[in-house]
Amino acid sequence: MNKKVLVRSCKILTSALVLVLFAGVISNVIYAQSQNSSADNNGIRPLNYDVGIHGLTANTHWLSDLHYKGNTDSLSFDGSSELEFVYRNVRTMFPRLGVGYQVMASFFTNGENADFGVGGWGIGPIVRAYPFKTDQIQPYVQLNSLFGNNMGLGTLANTNKDLGFRVRFGLRAGMAVRISNNVGIFTEIGYDWESDRLFKSDSRNLQANIGIDYYLFN
């Protein structure tokens, strides 16, 4: 019982620290951007209407914290390693709202047999909101989903269990930094929920992403 209380307390403290740091960064962003106009912001063009944002992330599953709601004894690990790529295409409908889609594909390697192949794949829509009107440093909140085959969260992806059709919903809090007018980097953290049926979760996962953005202005 004491161990459970300690683990829960650590999670609460960690979440509180992340929120404090995130709030501090946002406040600094708002203050800095309010002191400078868009024209003086290193030539960074504002995200107005119809701007394409192409993002790419590559994750290994050790970044994840998995919670599996089921019989964990039924999982058997095959000793493989997996790398997951996610491509996103988000287009701004308004300066603070973007919609688009994402495509995920994971590739596995089996150290024992030297096998290589596609572990899982999926595609789904994205809705992204920018709470603050900023140009160079942009906090955002994102809702995303994936519909695909043999997807798996965290250590679930490294099992020999045939997952079949899966549905994944995610909620992200992120920060994008534009290095130039067309290139930027982003980092985000949030939860994913996954199951073989809509609106029912048999596993959830806390995941952190780091990726590259490319901005395409029409």
Side-chain angles (χ1 to χ4, degrees):
M1 187 67 176
N2 292 333
K3 185 178 180 180
K4 291 183 178 180
V5 172
L6 179 61
V7 171
R8 184 172 298 178
S9 301
C10 291
K11 289 184 177 180
I12 293 174
L13 290 174
T14 302
S15 301
L17 179 60
V18 171
L19 289 175
V20 170
L21 292 175
F22 191 67
V25 171
I26 289 178
S27 63
N28 288 334
V29 168
I30 296 172
Y31 176 77
Q33 301 253 342
S34 65
Q35 300 299 312
N36 301 282
S37 65
S38 297
D40 297 330
N41 201 7
N42 297 325
I44 299 296
R45 296 175 61 181
L47 293 184
N48 292 323
Y49 302 93
D50 201 24
V51 178
I53 307 172
H54 302 266
L56 180 65
T57 64
N59 291 322
T60 54
H61 288 288
W62 61 267
L63 292 173
S64 305
D65 178 20
L66 176 73
H67 299 270
Y68 180 62
K69 302 176 182 179
N71 183 9
T72 56
D73 294 336
S74 65
L75 299 179
S76 55
F77 297 93
D78 56 14
S80 65
S81 298
E82 196 161 3
L83 183 62
E84 181 180 281
F85 292 91
V86 179
Y87 164 73
R88 296 172 180 169
N89 187 346
V90 178
R91 185 163 294 275
T92 56
M93 301 291 101
F94 303 97
R96 299 189 186 183
L97 177 66
V99 297
Y101 66 90
Q102 65 176 356
V103 178
M104 183 276 290
S106 64
F107 301 88
F108 72 88
T109 58
N110 190 321
E112 183 176 347
N113 299 321
D115 295 330
F116 176 82
V118 178
W121 57 268
I123 185 171
I126 293 176
V127 178
R128 181 182 294 177
Y130 296 91
F132 308 105
K133 191 175 182 180
T134 57
D135 298 328
Q136 187 170 19
I137 302 178
Q138 301 163 327
Y140 64 87
V141 179
Q142 177 175 290
L143 296 171
N144 49 258
S145 62
L146 285 170
F147 301 84
N149 192 61
N150 287 340
M151 297 188 300
L153 293 173
T155 52
L156 268 179
N158 293 328
T159 71
N160 56 24
K161 180 181 179 181
D162 185 10
L163 298 175
F165 175 77
R166 302 283 288 178
V167 180
R168 183 188 301 180
F169 294 100
L171 177 62
R172 298 279 190 271
M175 180 77 70
V177 180
R178 294 169 67 186
I179 301 173
S180 66
N181 198 40
N182 296 102
V183 179
I185 59 175
F186 68 89
T187 181
E188 61 185 25
I189 188 171
Y191 263 105
D192 285 333
W193 294 266
E194 188 173 299
S195 180
D196 57 354
R197 284 183 284 177
L198 283 172
F199 309 115
K200 181 181 179 181
S201 172
D202 62 19
S203 60
R204 61 185 174 91
N205 196 46
L206 177 64
Q207 182 167 305
N209 294 331
I210 299 174
I212 300 174
D213 277 332
Y214 178 75
Y215 297 82
L216 182 61
F217 293 83
N218 292 328

